[in-house]
Amino acid sequence: MKGNKAIETVDAYCNQYPEPVRQRLLAIRAIIQKLAPEATEKISYRMPLYMLNGRLVYFAVHTHHIGLYPMASGIKQFAGQLDKYVHATGSVQFPHHQPLPITLIKKMIAFRVKENREKAAKPGKKSLNKKPTAKSAIQSAKKSAGSR
């Protein structure tokens, strides 16, 4: 992240970078939005985070690369396709001087979307990206009042 000013939106995060880098960020963002249109986006740890029944994926600009953080499961699932990139347990680096591997990124995001949806569908799991509604707040208040 450039400078010391706190970035509060993904738009602001992307727009702080020069055009070639910005276009790479927007390409990743568009993939996420297409494959997970109901995901919420926010800034966490000073980088974009997408939430869909929990953490879905982060991405961030670094001096020589864009880091994609599809959690450890996303890296493990595609380990055989990441040999030409620097990667670790939950991250992969896409150098600025190379084209983005769009097909690979799509596969990784699609895998994470499927994984998070399956986890949420298991009995007893609650969606972690839903905001409380007025109805759920009333129901919660009634439950609390009934237990007194």
Side-chain angles (χ1 to χ4, degrees), residues 47-58:
M47 59 186 154
L49 164 63
Y50 288 80
M51 299 285 292
L52 178 68
N53 303 311
R55 293 177 301 149
L56 183 65
V57 64
Y58 292 85

Side-chain angles (χ1 to χ4, degrees), residues 7-11 13-14 25 28-29 32-33 36 38-61 67-71 90 109 112 116 128-129:
I7 298 295
E8 296 180 9
T9 68
V10 176
D11 284 326
Y13 183 90
C14 294
L25 294 172
I28 293 170
R29 184 184 194 192
I32 297 166
Q33 290 174 330
E38 68 277 27
T40 57
E41 63 180 21
K42 66 180 190 174
I43 299 296
S44 178
Y45 298 106
R46 297 172 32 161
M47 59 186 154
L49 164 63
Y50 288 80
M51 299 285 292
L52 178 68
N53 303 311
R55 293 177 301 149
L56 183 65
V57 64
Y58 292 85
F59 62 84
V61 174
L68 185 70
Y69 307 90
M71 309 306 134
I109 302 303
R112 289 289 299 130
N116 277 18
L128 299 176
N129 68 322

Side-chain angles (χ1 to χ4, degrees), residues 57-107:
V57 64
Y58 292 85
F59 62 84
V61 174
H62 298 277
T63 304
H64 301 288
H65 68 275
I66 290 179
L68 185 70
Y69 307 90
M71 309 306 134
S73 61
I75 296 299
K76 185 177 179 182
Q77 180 70 23
F78 296 93
Q81 299 175 51
L82 298 175
D83 290 340
K84 65 181 185 178
Y85 303 104
V86 174
H87 61 283
T89 302
S91 65
V92 59
Q93 299 177 10
F94 300 123
H96 292 308
H97 68 275
Q98 295 177 6
L100 282 175
I102 298 297
T103 302
L104 177 59
I105 293 170
K106 285 179 180 178
K107 288 178 184 177

